[in-house]
Amino acid sequence: MKPRLRSMALLLLLAAAISWTVARHGGGSASLTAVAAAEPDVLRLGSLRLEPCDIGRRGAGTPTLRAYCQSVAVPENRAMPDGRRLWLKVAVVRATVAGAEPDLVTFLDGGPGGAATEDYPWIAAAFDAVRKRRNVLLVDQRGTGGSNALECGASGSEGASISASLEHELQELRACVQRLAPRAAPQFYATSDAVADLEAVRRALGSPQLDLVGVSYGTRLAQQYARRHPA
């Protein structure tokens, strides 16, 4: 799907979810929890020190946005915690008030394959009401964006017959897995791994509650996370 069409679809799907979030929290507590900023233009949440960064895709037709970014290390294979580690890209788009409620509105991108920090600028306007009281959390799921993206380039099978195209795609897939082998084992890039990653990020941020806003595949990730971590 073209980026512009994709952004329109994201915006339409998010509108209902964000309206529900605003309605749910609109009557929240009167007191706001201030975000600790011990240093100028640095955001500290939990154990993370997030620094200014630009998010989005340069040259993609929409301006990049200012956020605060940091990376969180997680095991690629949680059965081998001392094995290869991945660095998850985490970004926080700050609320428009000096202080914000402690719960974080968390955008879960679709695909699978969408990177939250790359796609958020396309649908940022849908979060304007939410950001009056809350920070927005963006996490590139493992295998996307700034979290060890599993990319091997586009296939060149346009115009081929169905059988020839499928065979070509299979060959491309095998070659891609081989190229990725030095830095990624695809069997550890499942929804269950993304759920565990999101919980690891939440803990690193000081264990706040998360308000999940998913689109497309992101709704499945939200359901699986809520099932695993109902609190």
Side-chain angles (χ1 to χ4, degrees), residues 10-11 13 26 31 42 50-51 69 87-89 94 103 106-107 125 139 183 198-199 210:
L10 284 169
L11 183 57
L13 288 169
S31 61
V42 170
L50 297 101
E51 300 184 346
C69 296
W87 291 93
L88 305 176
K89 183 175 181 178
R94 296 192 67 165
D103 50 308
T106 306
F107 169 51
V139 181
R183 64 178 179 86
L198 183 56
E199 176 62 9
L210 304 180

Side-chain angles (χ1 to χ4, degrees), residues 136-193:
V136 175
L137 172 64
L138 309 170
V139 181
D140 286 354
Q141 297 168 35
R142 62 170 61 194
T144 74
S147 300
N148 199 32
L150 303 184
E151 297 179 349
C152 289
S155 172
S157 58
E158 292 82 356
S161 66
I162 294 178
S163 59
S165 177
L166 290 175
E167 179 60 29
H168 177 79
E169 293 287 349
L170 183 58
Q171 293 175 358
E172 289 278 316
L173 178 60
R174 289 169 176 161
C176 179
V177 171
Q178 291 179 349
R179 291 198 294 273
L180 292 173
R183 64 178 179 86
Q187 66 267 33
F188 301 121
Y189 288 73
T191 300
S192 57
D193 298 298

Side-chain angles (χ1 to χ4, degrees), residues 9 11 35 75-76 85 125 130 136 143 157 162 164 174 197 211 215:
L11 183 57
V35 175
E76 181 182 53
R85 301 181 73 76
V130 171
V136 175
S157 58
I162 294 178
R174 289 169 176 161
D197 289 344
D211 306 319
V215 60

Side-chain angles (χ1 to χ4, degrees), residues 5-19 123 126 215:
L5 294 177
R6 183 181 182 194
S7 68
M8 293 176 63
L10 284 169
L11 183 57
L12 291 173
L13 288 169
L14 279 169
I18 293 175
S19 296
I123 44 86
V215 60

